[in-house]
């Protein structure tokens, strides 16, 4: 497709056209346009001119004469190709003189559609748009017959009001509302086009056009809608189409309903069940007395009901029952999945007023659909948009929403790059005290979920195992009954059946070959950022007990991750960061979980596999294992911690080459602990003095030696003065959170100074 | 409504930096927001146009990475198609939708629907709460017509020189950016008019 060479050569040539050559070209075109006839060579030139104008970054100004010629062609030519080309060229240029000059085209009415497009693109202010809309509305009033161009008035107006709703005055809105009612409700039901052109062909030879028909071929049963079919369409039928296409936007922009549901109007009409004949307009109350806006709403409502009816002739309902039945019919049909979202929105907005049980809707939208259609990018996008738009309401009206997070994560697992920014917005709403731990596990296993979904699809596509071929071992594992439970848990749709599975490491082994699948790698790349969001949110909804549990999960999972390159390192980095934050927020966590933290710190193998996390755990122990943070911290606890860390330090320095960072953090931690229990000081001092004397054979480079020895020196000199060491290494919280004038001690000197200054009469 | 429609490259182009996308066609339906809100009131019309082109280029780049990532993840092998195989090319096309957040590059949020056909992408940028089903269908329809009428599966350069055909196509199927609820008969009517135009 598209030889790069040809295309880019053409672009290059257009860029590089010289100024002289360009001016000559302008002259040639101007001469060509002077003639009465505009043949292929004119078209050619215009196309070339457009390419030149469009391919440069900087806007060119055309010579005035050429500009005028192009403009008059655009407005007055009856050859569509000329109007299209001239409009396109003019869109790429600037108006001929001075800023703010709009095209004065009030004498050209009706405004051709391509010209209007040009004016729209060059509108420089809201006043320009207002002027354009007035012009358009005036042409509507005139109702000229024939040419297609006036039919684009509505799309043009829709664009204008999207960006400048104020460009239509109240009168305009009323006028248009009336016209919209006419077009929506009273368009002709005869087939248009053929006989209405009049002209040469009259007489009995021409068949009279019949009425329009429904989609199933029956004669149209009620008023014309976009679901009516005909050989050709008349102008007002086209207007019906354009009216309906902009209706939703129009109603949202100008008809904000402040007086409750429309459905209450419908209550007084009788419901007819199962009737084939359309009952919509037959039972409509006389609405002529309503003001235009209300009348439009009423007619829109009827129109929509008729559309639903036309989609399936079996049912006639009003408002809520209508939507409810639609849901009932569609929720089992997955190909209609995207229609279910507007229905869900309807339930969310009106469910409480109508006192309807919406549970089945939510189960479908949050539970079933993501599980079945996780690979539909449009459904994913729309579901996430729905959640993002309605977060507050979902939180208050749909308590079970968070319950479905395992299902909702499937969209993300399948298409992480496209959806991760959406999930950054949505994830906080899924974090609750009830879901926190399970959610953390699920996030960490997101790549596994991706792999499982891939296998699920593949398994469905190739039901029979390929005999002896390139069968994936993970696919076989997926199908084998022995591991069924693992995958079932991973692919579950609802939360609450356990935080994670027991044989997680088995699962990781089974999915080992998935670690280099692109989709799995993309999924793994999105986990760290989501973990950040998770941890930032979870602190706001958890009590200390829950946070303690999370710390345990952190430690446990640090060695239980799918083995994707760089994934483990990234996760450890996130864990380290948040472990610090958590402990800083709740220092007593350290004492609470001291056993597990000590176990982690005491395991030497952790140093090699998780250095980052290890140093942070050691730091946290050193910093917060103190009676000033938690009164339960006994001397014994401090001592046992000290001994554990000391043992590790001896082990790593006597065999192997430990990283200096690990060593220095151990040293600092030991010093801190020793400062709290003074009989430990001699033990650590002994080691430190050995360092000073240079027994650091286990260090790698010169810089490392310097770093370790310097730290050793500082700590050793500090520990010679135990009370000083205590206040430096375990500062009271008062010192770390200064209170300035509120603190009696800190304010004394300034107070004295002030008083002295005031009373000193010298 | 639709903010803009563009056709741009998704494969590496020798004259561009990696990751960049060459925009072969773009049509913006919306008036320039900066001019209306007064946000860019210090900019002249020339600079506003430049700004608009830059914004379109940003969208093209975003969609290009979305297409690339999606193709990578699916691991499908691209099948080369030639002139005459437009329907096959369309069937094989990747599709998706990308959210463009605030400021990326327009002040408000947008959704960019894309169809990746071989080395090109066809992108529709819509307002966030637009009817995506309708937009998706419209995009597929427009793409099919582009492929057929501009002979894009061939080696030619019609997409550049005959861009008025795309203008007319958009003018019928997406007038001024308005998505239309066209049933098959309305569509047929429009396609008849289009065929007449393209035959010139």
């Amino acid at each position: 497709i598209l030889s790069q060479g040809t295309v880019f050569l053409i672009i290059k040539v257009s860029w590089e056209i010289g100024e002289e050559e360009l001016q000559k070209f302008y002259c040639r075109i101007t001469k060509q346009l002077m003639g009465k006839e505009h043949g292929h060579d004119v078209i050619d030139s215009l196309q070339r001119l457009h390419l030149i104008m469009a391919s440069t970054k900087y806007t060119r100004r055309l010579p005035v004469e050429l500009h005028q010629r192009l403009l008059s062609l655009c407005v007055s030519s009856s050859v569509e190709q000329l109007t299209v080309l001239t409009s396109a060229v003019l869109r790429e240029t600037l108006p001929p003189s001075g800023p703010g000059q709009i095209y004065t085209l009030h004498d050209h009415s009706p405004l051709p559609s391509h010209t209007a497009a040009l004016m729209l693109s060059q509108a420089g202010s809201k006043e320009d748009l207002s002027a354009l809309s007035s012009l358009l509305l005036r042409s509507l009033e005139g109702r000229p017959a024939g040419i297609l161009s006036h039919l684009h008035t509505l799309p043009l107006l829709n664009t204008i009001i999207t960006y400048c709703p104020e460009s239509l005055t109240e009168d305009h809105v009323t006028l248009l509302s009336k016209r919209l009612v006419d077009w929506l409700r009273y368009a002709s039901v005869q087939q248009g086009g053929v006989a209405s052109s009049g002209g040469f062909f009259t007489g009995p030879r021409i068949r009279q056009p019949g009425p329009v028909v429904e989609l199933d071929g029956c004669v149209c049963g009620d008023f014309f809608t976009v679901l009516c079919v005909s050989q050709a369409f008349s102008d007002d039928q086209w207007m019906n189409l354009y009216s309906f296409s902009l209706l939703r936007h129009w109603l949202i922009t100008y008809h904000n309903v402040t007086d409750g549901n429309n459905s209450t109007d419908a209550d007084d009409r009788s419901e007819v069940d199962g009737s084939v004949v359309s009952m919509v307009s037959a039972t409509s109350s006389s609405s002529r007395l309503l003001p235009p806006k209300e009348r439009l709403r009423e007619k829109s409502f009827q129109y929509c009901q008729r559309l639903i009816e036309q989609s399936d002739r079996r049912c006639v309902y009003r408002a809520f029952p209508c939507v409810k039945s639609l849901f009932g019919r569609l929720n089992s049909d997955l190909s209609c999945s995207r229609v279910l979202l507007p229905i869900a929105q309807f339930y969310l907005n009106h469910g409480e007023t109508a006192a309807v049980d919406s549970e089945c809707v939510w189960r479908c939208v949050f539970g079933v659909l993501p599980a079945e259609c996780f690979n539909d990018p449009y459904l994913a996008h729309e579901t996430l948009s729905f959640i993002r738009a309605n977060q507050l309401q979902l939180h208050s009206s749909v308590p079970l929403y968070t319950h479905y997070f395992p299902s909702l994560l499937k969209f993300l697992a399948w298409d992480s790059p496209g959806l991760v920014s959406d999930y950054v917005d949505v994830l906080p709403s899924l974090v609750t005290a009830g879901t926190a731990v399970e959610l953390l596990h699920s996030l960490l296993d997101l790549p596994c979920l991706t792999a499982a979904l891939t296998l699920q699809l593949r398994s469905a596509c190739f039901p029979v195992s390929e005999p002896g071929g390139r069968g994936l071992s993970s696919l076989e594992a997926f199908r084998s009954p022995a591991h069924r439970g693992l995958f079932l848990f991973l692919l579950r749709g609802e939360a609450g059946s356990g935080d994670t599975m027991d044989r997680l490491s088995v699962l990781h082994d089974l999915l080992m070959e998935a670690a280099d699948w692109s989709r799995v790698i993309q999924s793994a790349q999105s986990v760290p950022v989501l973990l950040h969001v998770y941890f930032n949110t979870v602190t706001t909804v958890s009590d200390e007990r829950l946070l303690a549990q999370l710390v345990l999960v952190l430690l446990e999972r640090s060695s239980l991750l799918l083995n994707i390159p760089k994934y483990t390192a990234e996760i450890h980095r996130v864990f380290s960061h948040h472990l610090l934050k958590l402990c800083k927020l709740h220092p007593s966590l350290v004492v609470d979980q001291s056993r597990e933290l000590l176990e982690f710190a005491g395991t030497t193998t952790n140093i090699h596999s998780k250095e980052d996390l290890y140093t942070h755990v050691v730091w946290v122990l050193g910093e917060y294992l103190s009676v000033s943070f938690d009164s339960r911290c006994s001397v014994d606890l401090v001592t046992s911690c000290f001994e554990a860390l000391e043992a590790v330090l001896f082990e790593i320095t006597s065999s192997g080459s430990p990283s200096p960072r690990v060593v220095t953090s151990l040293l600092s931690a030991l010093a801190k602990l020793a400062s709290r229990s003074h009989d430990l000081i001699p033990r650590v001092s002994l080691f430190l003095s050995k360092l000073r004397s240079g027994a650091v054979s286990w260090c790698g480079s010169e810089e490392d030696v310097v770093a370790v020895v310097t730290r050793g020196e500082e700590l050793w000199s500090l520990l010679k003065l135990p009370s000083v060491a205590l206040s430096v290494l375990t500062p009271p919280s008062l010192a770390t959170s200064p209170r300035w004038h509120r603190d009696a001690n800190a304010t004394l000197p300034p107070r004295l100074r002030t008083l002295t200054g005031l009373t000193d009469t010298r | 409504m639709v903010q803009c429609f563009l056709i741009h490259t998704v494969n590496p182009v020798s004259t561009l930096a990696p990751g960049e996308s060459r925009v072969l066609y773009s049509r913006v339906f919306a008036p320039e927001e900066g001019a209306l809100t007064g946000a860019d009131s210090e900019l002249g019309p020339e600079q506003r146009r430049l700004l608009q082109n830059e914004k379109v280029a940003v969208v093209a780049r975003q969609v290009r990475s979305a297409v690339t990532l999606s193709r990578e993840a699916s691991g499908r092998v691209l099948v080369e198609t030639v002139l005459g195989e437009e329907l096959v090319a369309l069937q094989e096309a990747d599709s998706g939708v990308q959210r463009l957040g605030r400021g990326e590059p327009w002040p408000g949020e947008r959704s960019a629907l894309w169809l990746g056909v071989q080395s090109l992408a066809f992108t529709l940028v819509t307002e966030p709460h637009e009817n995506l089903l309708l937009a998706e269908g419209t995009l597929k329809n427009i793409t099919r017509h582009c492929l057929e009428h501009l002979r894009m599966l061939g080696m030619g350069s019609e997409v550049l020189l005959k861009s008025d055909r795309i203008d007319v196509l958009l003018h019928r199927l997406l007038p001024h950016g308005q998505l239309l609820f066209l049933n098959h008969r309305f569509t047929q009517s429009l396609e008849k008019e289009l065929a007449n135009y393209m035959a010139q």
Side-chain angles (χ1 to χ4, degrees), chain A residues 1-2 47 50 80-81 92 113 158-159 163 226 228-230 241 245 338 381 388 422 425 522, chain B residues 3 49 69 97 99 109 111 119 129 133 136 152 154 156 163-164 171-172 176 178 181 183 185 197:
Chain A
I1 195 176
L2 277 200
Q47 283 171 336
H50 176 250
E80 192 176 2
Q81 198 169 20
E92 299 291 341
S113 188
N158 195 22
T159 310
Y163 292 93
V226 292
C228 291
V229 181
S230 158
L241 166 70
S245 297
R338 285 160 67 189
H381 180 90
R388 280 175 53 240
D422 285 321
D425 291 337
Q522 283 174 6
Chain B
Q3 169 114 12
R49 178 177 171 271
L69 284 168
V97 53
R99 175 161 83 99
E109 230 183 77
S111 301
S119 59
H129 299 293
L133 257 178
E136 193 192 340
M152 289 175 100
S163 60
D164 59 302
H171 193 73
R172 293 286 190 283
H176 306 289
Q178 173 77 63
F181 287 91
N183 65 42
R185 282 280 189 231
Y197 183 92

Side-chain angles (χ1 to χ4, degrees), chain A residues 439-653:
Chain A
L439 183 56
L440 181 55
H441 281 290
S442 300
L443 284 175
L444 292 169
D445 282 325
L446 196 72
C448 299
L449 180 58
T450 307
L453 290 174
T454 313
L455 291 171
Q456 189 178 44
L457 271 187
R458 228 175 264 200
S459 184
C461 291
F462 307 109
V464 181
S465 320
E466 295 152 19
R470 311 164 29 247
L472 298 167
S473 65
S474 51
L475 189 57
E476 282 170 34
F478 182 77
R479 287 176 177 151
S480 94
H483 305 300
R484 201 86 201 99
L486 291 175
F487 286 104
L488 275 178
F489 182 79
L490 191 57
L491 293 168
R492 70 199 184 286
E494 297 178 33
S497 51
D499 292 334
T500 185
M501 55 194 101
D502 288 332
R503 303 183 293 148
L504 200 53
S505 52
V506 174
L507 181 71
H508 291 162
D509 287 336
L510 293 173
L511 293 175
M512 207 151 49
E513 68 179 344
D516 60 359
W517 296 350
S518 304
R519 204 179 287 278
V520 172
I521 296 178
Q522 283 174 6
S523 167
Q525 286 168 344
S526 67
V527 175
V529 68
L530 290 173
L531 282 181
H532 279 301
V533 173
Y534 170 86
F535 278 113
N536 289 339
T537 320
V538 83
T539 45
T540 60
V541 300
S542 316
D543 58 1
E544 274 210 28
R545 232 170 43 92
L546 183 55
L547 289 177
Q549 257 190 300
L550 293 180
V551 169
L552 291 184
V553 171
L554 258 170
L555 295 176
E556 185 196 330
R557 290 302 304 258
S558 60
S559 48
L560 260 186
L561 294 169
L562 189 62
N563 192 7
I564 308 172
K566 296 196 221 161
Y567 182 58
T568 319
E570 279 297 317
I571 301 295
H572 287 172
R573 193 161 344 142
V574 176
F575 278 179
S576 311
H577 176 85
H578 287 284
L579 179 67
L580 277 191
K581 275 181 76 172
L582 278 179
C583 292
K584 185 161 182 189
L585 216 55
H586 299 271
S588 50
L589 270 179
V590 178
V591 173
D592 223 20
Q593 303 301 314
S594 54
R595 200 169 65 90
E596 282 76 19
L597 287 167
L598 270 180
E599 205 182 302
F600 187 90
T603 317
T604 342
T605 47
N606 283 341
I607 301 181
H608 305 297
S609 56
K610 314 168 200 172
E611 187 183 307
D612 203 5
L613 191 56
Y614 184 85
T615 43
H616 283 78
V617 169
V618 165
W619 190 89
V620 145
L621 279 170
E623 185 75 5
Y624 297 114
L625 198 75
S626 151
V627 73
S628 62
F629 288 114
D630 189 325
S631 49
R632 293 171 296 167
C633 182
S634 62
V635 173
D636 286 336
L637 184 57
V638 173
T639 313
S640 58
C641 182
F642 181 92
E643 285 175 351
L645 294 181
E646 192 189 38
V648 171
L649 184 61
F650 286 167
E651 194 184 323
I652 59 173
T653 52

Side-chain angles (χ1 to χ4, degrees), chain A residues 1-4 6-8 10-12 15 40 43-44 47-48 50-51 53-61 79-82 84-85 88 91-95 99 113-114 116-118 120-126 129 148 152 154-156 158-160 162-164 215 224-233 237-238 241-242 244-246 248-249 338-339 377-378 381-382 385 388-389 414-415 417-418 421-423 425 518-519 522, chain B residues 1 3 9 11-15 22-33 35-37 45-50 53-54 68-70 72-75 80-81 95-99 109-115 117-120 127-134 136 139-140 147 151-157 159-165 167-168 171-172 175-186 188-190 192-193 197 200:
Chain A
I1 195 176
L2 277 200
S3 144
Q4 280 195 21
T6 328
V7 168
F8 301 120
I10 295 181
I11 297 181
K12 193 162 177 290
W15 259 341
H40 278 295
I43 302 287
D44 244 355
Q47 283 171 336
R48 224 61 83 65
H50 176 250
L51 179 58
M53 311 286 307
S55 53
T56 102
K57 235 161 87 144
Y58 298 100
T59 326
R60 296 182 199 272
R61 271 209 160 80
V79 178
E80 192 176 2
Q81 198 169 20
L82 285 173
V84 171
L85 279 167
R91 276 204 307 272
E92 299 291 341
T93 73
L94 298 171
S113 188
H114 292 288
L118 170 62
L120 188 62
S121 73
Q122 306 235 333
S125 64
K126 293 197 176 180
L129 287 183
L148 190 66
H152 282 175
L154 287 180
L156 265 166
N158 195 22
T159 310
I160 295 175
T162 307
Y163 292 93
C164 185
L215 285 172
F224 183 88
T225 71
V226 292
L227 289 179
C228 291
V229 181
S230 158
Q231 291 291 344
F233 295 97
Q237 288 167 343
W238 281 101
L241 166 70
Y242 290 119
F244 181 66
S245 297
L246 73 47
R248 180 172 169 268
H249 186 228
R338 285 160 67 189
V339 179
Y378 295 98
H381 180 90
E382 291 198 79
S385 299
R388 280 175 53 240
W414 188 256
D415 181 16
S421 54
D422 285 321
Y423 275 86
D425 291 337
S518 304
R519 204 179 287 278
Q522 283 174 6
Chain B
M1 66 157 280
Q3 169 114 12
T9 60
N11 284 356
V13 174
S14 54
T15 47
R22 167 86 65 212
V23 176
L24 297 172
Y25 175 88
S26 78
R27 177 72 200 275
V28 177
F29 296 106
E32 287 162 21
E33 265 177 278
L36 301 176
T37 56
E46 189 170 320
Q47 284 160 314
R48 282 207 300 267
R49 178 177 171 271
L50 183 59
N53 285 348
E54 292 292 322
T68 315
L69 284 168
S70 167
E72 222 177 65
S74 68
E80 283 285 326
T81 45
S95 70
V97 53
Q98 173 78 21
R99 175 161 83 99
E109 230 183 77
R110 300 280 186 275
S111 301
L113 291 90
W114 52 264
L115 261 183
V117 180
Q118 310 272 301
S119 59
L120 294 181
E127 301 282 315
H129 299 293
E130 190 55 79
N131 187 329
L132 284 191
L133 257 178
L134 189 60
E136 193 192 340
L139 179 61
K140 285 215 174 91
L147 290 176
R151 301 159 56 83
M152 289 175 100
L153 294 175
M155 306 277 265
S157 51
V159 65
L160 293 176
L161 287 172
K162 301 218 193 294
S163 60
D164 59 302
R165 291 188 178 179
D167 281 342
V168 169
H171 193 73
R172 293 286 190 283
H176 306 289
Q178 173 77 63
L179 289 167
L180 298 175
F181 287 91
L182 298 169
N183 65 42
H184 61 284
R185 282 280 189 231
F186 275 113
Q188 253 176 23
S189 199
L190 290 173
K192 232 188 280 175
E193 286 175 23
Y197 183 92
Q200 289 174 267

Side-chain angles (χ1 to χ4, degrees), chain A residues 121-315:
Chain A
S121 73
Q122 306 235 333
S125 64
K126 293 197 176 180
E127 289 71 41
D128 289 344
L129 287 183
S130 297
L132 183 57
S133 53
S134 305
L135 198 62
L136 291 170
L137 282 164
R138 240 179 295 146
S139 77
L140 260 186
E141 283 171 37
R143 265 278 217 145
I147 46 172
L148 190 66
S149 48
H150 80 278
L151 296 176
H152 282 175
T153 315
L154 287 180
L156 265 166
L157 280 170
N158 195 22
T159 310
I160 295 175
I161 66 176
T162 307
Y163 292 93
C164 185
E166 321 81 69
S167 51
L168 291 188
T169 64
E170 191 63 35
D171 288 334
H172 287 156
V173 174
T174 311
L175 167 70
L176 258 177
S177 301
K178 289 198 192 129
R179 300 303 295 269
L180 285 173
V181 168
D182 283 337
W183 286 317
L184 284 172
R185 186 63 184 75
Y186 301 110
S188 150
V189 287
Q190 296 297 314
Q191 295 205 13
V194 183
S196 64
S197 60
F200 304 117
F201 302 106
T202 52
R205 269 191 307 156
I206 297 299
R207 275 180 277 119
Q208 284 301 309
V212 298
V213 296
E214 303 286 351
L215 285 172
D216 57 6
C218 304
V219 167
C220 175
D222 201 341
F223 56 87
F224 183 88
T225 71
V226 292
L227 289 179
C228 291
V229 181
S230 158
Q231 291 291 344
F233 295 97
S234 60
D235 281 356
D236 56 345
Q237 288 167 343
W238 281 101
M239 292 311 277
N240 181 295
L241 166 70
Y242 290 119
S243 303
F244 181 66
S245 297
L246 73 47
L247 188 60
R248 180 172 169 268
H249 186 228
W250 177 264
L251 289 174
I252 289 175
T253 311
Y254 292 116
H255 295 242
N256 277 313
V257 182
T258 48
D259 47 324
N261 270 344
N262 261 342
S263 51
T264 51
D265 292 340
D267 282 345
D268 49 25
R269 296 187 212 149
S270 55
E271 270 191 35
V272 182
D273 219 280
S275 160
V276 172
V277 175
S278 163
M279 295 299 285
V280 174
S281 47
T283 56
S284 71
S285 51
S286 164
S287 53
R288 281 185 193 284
L289 306 171
L290 290 173
K293 280 193 185 179
E294 276 68 36
R295 191 148 177 257
L296 177 60
R297 276 210 297 272
E298 173 67 30
K299 296 300 174 192
S300 310
F301 182 63
Q302 287 180 3
Y303 195 100
C304 294
Q305 280 190 298
R306 170 133 161 77
L307 282 179
I308 293 176
E309 185 187 305
Q310 281 176 304
S311 313
D312 183 328
R313 295 193 63 114
R314 279 172 295 147
C315 314

Side-chain angles (χ1 to χ4, degrees), chain A residues 320-328 340-354 356-362 386 393 397-398:
Chain A
F320 219 115
C322 181
V323 173
K324 184 173 171 200
S325 84
L326 189 63
F327 176 75
L340 293 175
L341 283 166
I343 297 181
Q345 182 73 61
F346 191 88
Y347 267 83
L348 193 62
N349 293 342
H350 306 295
E352 278 185 45
T353 15
V356 171
D357 175 26
S358 321
E359 211 210 286
C360 48
V361 176
W362 306 124
F386 173 75
Q393 234 187 320
S397 322
V398 186

